[in-house]
Amino acid sequence: MNPIMKIILTFYFTLIVFLANNWISYAILWLLAIISIYFSGINIKTFFNGIKAILFIILITVIIQILFSVNGNVIFNYGPIKITNLGIKYGIFIFFRFTLIVIASTILTLSTKPLAIAYGIEKIMSPLNKLHFPVEVLSLMISIALRFVPTLIDEISSIIKAQKARGANFNNGNLIKRANAIASIFIPLFLVAMNHASDLGDAMVSRGYKSNVKRSQYHHYHINHIDWISCFTYLLFGVLIVFIRK
Amino acid sequence: MKVKEISFVGIFAALLILFSLITIPTPLVPFTLQTLAVLIIGGTLRPKLAISTVALYLLLGFVGLPVFAGGASSGPASFLLPTGGFLISFLLEVSFLSIMTSKFVKYDHYSFVYPLLASVINLVFGWIWFKFDTGMTWKVSLFTSLVPFIIPEIVKCVISTFVSQKLRVIIHNK
């Protein structure tokens, strides 16, 4: 699928999730999410590993919501904790809402290469060029940021090894001791990053880079029939939700 | 923006992403290096570069790339969650810190105060956001979203002051 279409559909999905307000509309959204996961071809195991961490935060939010809600018939009461039927219902709705939004953005990131996402962002934001917003510069910065994460991971592991060889201890000791050991990684790491940035800047200048010049793309993404089918499916589900919501 | 500034913003955003992915397991509250990286960037870079770096980072997270703390899935949802206030206030935090510290090349004995004030901005904004997002009382939200972070935040302020001080001297001498 075209990355532009994917990003737009992800945002569209996030919007229609906020329209849902009863059980049937949430069921329809879950159906759409399951269809999307199935057709994205992502391994289910990889998918759940991706959302595990944030599911925990969502669950805590929901539990707090249920414990401290005030409306509805009280089912359980202990001190300041009041569990009501409406509290449980809205808690589940909030859980659905955030989980669905997380699923949508996880599908986007697991099925799209980072550079394709950068391309999509650039194209979507290109109307801002008319307002003299440097969209191309932004896209270049995104590409640099994503490109340099693996490089810096390599650097950090060699810095950690070098500091360990000099006797730094990262795994033992109290918080202050560990913080001290970690600080010994930061200064070399930031310096390495600065050197990379400086070298990259020089390399770009020496190759005649100029911002805001019309430039061709290495990868081309076309909008094909799959994009239109998914676009139509999402629109259809959106209309359904609008009709079903109370 | 100059070409070198573009590469600086890109690579420091990469650094910020990297730090966010590192979590040191401690009991109760996860000690992430995300806020520390924001403090160091604010204390080291000029306001224009520091603010652009953090804004770029937040944009990447907003679009859905897994760049926020602990490598958790991002997207617009992470700004709507109760912890979203902490993310948005990174911009305020880094603006304040970089504007305050850009006036000095060498830090004095009070330089610890600026990151501390910047952290206070971040924590208080995050706390108020948390309160309204969850609908808890002020007191309950204070003890869930602010109090557990005070000691780690002070440790981060100490480290960031130390690191930024060294880095600023190195940048100035280059």
Side-chain angles (χ1 to χ4, degrees):
Chain A
M1 263 185 86
N2 189 301
I4 305 171
M5 199 62 108
K6 271 197 220 175
I7 295 175
I8 292 175
L9 287 183
T10 308
F11 273 88
Y12 171 75
F13 187 80
T14 311
L15 280 180
I16 58 173
V17 165
F18 281 94
L19 287 180
N21 59 1
N22 55 16
W23 293 104
I24 304 172
S25 48
Y26 276 109
I28 290 173
L29 284 169
W30 274 105
L31 183 68
L32 182 58
I34 290 166
I35 293 174
S36 309
I37 296 171
Y38 179 76
F39 282 105
S40 65
I42 303 165
N43 186 338
I44 291 289
K45 218 174 172 182
T46 328
F47 189 83
F48 279 102
N49 279 335
I51 62 171
K52 219 165 43 187
I54 201 147
L55 270 184
F56 182 68
I57 302 179
I58 296 173
L59 264 179
I60 291 177
T61 316
V62 170
I63 290 168
I64 290 167
Q65 184 79 27
I66 290 175
L67 291 183
F68 295 97
S69 62
V70 278
N71 300 327
N73 302 325
V74 177
I75 300 171
F76 177 80
N77 197 345
Y78 182 79
I81 297 170
K82 239 187 233 165
I83 298 180
T84 64
N85 58 349
L86 278 182
I88 293 178
K89 188 181 163 191
Y90 288 126
I92 293 171
F93 279 0
I94 289 176
F95 177 75
F96 281 172
R97 183 178 291 172
F98 284 125
T99 313
L100 284 165
I101 297 173
V102 167
I103 286 176
S105 55
T106 311
I107 295 173
L108 174 71
T109 45
L110 287 183
S111 68
T112 322
K113 285 189 184 126
L115 285 183
I117 292 181
Y119 167 86
I121 297 171
E122 184 189 340
K123 290 291 164 204
I124 290 170
M125 290 179 87
S126 58
L128 288 177
N129 255 333
K130 291 209 171 81
L131 301 171
H132 299 289
F133 182 82
V135 175
E136 204 180 285
V137 170
L138 178 75
S139 154
L140 179 68
M141 288 193 294
I142 294 173
S143 313
I144 293 174
L146 299 175
R147 160 69 186 78
F148 271 90
V149 172
T151 311
L152 291 175
I153 289 177
D154 286 348
E155 296 285 2
I156 207 171
S157 68
S158 58
I159 290 170
I160 289 174
K161 277 178 198 153
Q163 298 292 35
K164 271 189 179 165
R166 290 180 177 87
N169 192 348
F170 302 107
N171 300 326
N172 297 316
N174 55 23
L175 195 65
I176 302 288
K177 268 189 184 161
R178 281 195 205 187
N180 220 342
I182 289 162
S184 70
I185 307 173
F186 288 155
I187 294 171
L189 185 63
F190 271 82
L191 282 180
V192 165
M194 274 179 204
N195 287 340
H196 272 303
S198 175
D199 288 350
L200 182 68
D202 288 341
M204 280 160 67
V205 170
S206 63
R207 283 166 181 76
Y209 175 83
K210 272 194 190 122
S211 51
N212 296 326
V213 178
K214 186 103 181 121
R215 188 166 279 112
S216 57
Q217 297 274 347
Y218 185 65
H219 289 289
H220 280 280
Y221 301 93
H222 299 287
I223 293 183
N224 55 25
H225 63 279
I226 298 173
D227 293 298
W228 292 120
I229 293 170
S230 8
C231 193
F232 180 73
T233 317
Y234 270 67
L235 270 179
L236 195 75
F237 274 83
V239 172
L240 256 176
I241 301 263
V242 171
F243 277 108
I244 284 170
R245 76 190 292 260
K246 281 181 211 159
Chain B
M1 217 176 213
K2 282 187 219 151
V3 177
K4 225 169 210 173
E5 290 177 335
I6 297 173
S7 65
F8 256 86
V9 172
I11 289 182
F12 273 89
L15 210 56
L16 190 46
I17 294 171
L18 186 65
F19 275 82
S20 307
L21 303 183
I22 305 171
T23 313
I24 302 165
T26 46
L28 285 175
V29 189
F31 185 88
T32 77
L33 299 184
Q34 182 186 34
T35 46
L36 176 61
V38 173
L39 285 174
I40 297 177
I41 287 170
T44 312
L45 298 180
R46 277 178 288 128
K48 186 181 167 189
L49 293 184
I51 296 167
S52 312
T53 305
V54 174
L56 178 67
Y57 168 74
L58 292 179
L59 177 77
L60 288 174
F62 181 77
V63 177
L65 293 166
V67 296
F68 292 147
S73 186
S74 307
S78 41
F79 289 89
L80 300 169
L81 282 171
T83 48
F86 292 102
L87 292 175
I88 292 168
S89 65
F90 278 158
L91 269 180
L92 295 176
E93 184 184 8
V94 85
S95 313
F96 170 81
L97 188 57
S98 57
I99 290 168
M100 291 313 285
T101 53
S102 62
K103 293 173 189 157
F104 317 99
V105 173
K106 229 176 156 134
Y107 273 50
D108 50 27
H109 292 299
Y110 300 104
S111 50
F112 172 65
V113 175
Y114 301 119
L116 201 64
L117 282 176
S119 299
V120 169
I121 293 175
N122 180 27
L123 286 178
V124 170
F125 191 94
W127 167 41
I128 295 170
W129 183 287
F130 191 90
K131 188 246 171 260
F132 284 107
D133 205 289
T134 54
M136 287 185 198
T137 58
W138 287 105
K139 205 174 157 190
V140 176
S141 58
L142 180 75
F143 280 97
T144 27
S145 73
L146 200 151
V147 173
F149 296 100
I150 290 176
I151 293 172
E153 206 61 35
I154 291 173
V155 175
K156 286 175 198 172
C157 287
V158 175
I159 299 176
S160 82
T161 315
F162 178 68
V163 174
S164 319
Q165 188 172 353
K166 295 241 167 179
L167 286 172
R168 290 173 70 83
V169 173
I170 294 168
I171 293 175
H172 187 73
N173 291 339
K174 254 191 177 177

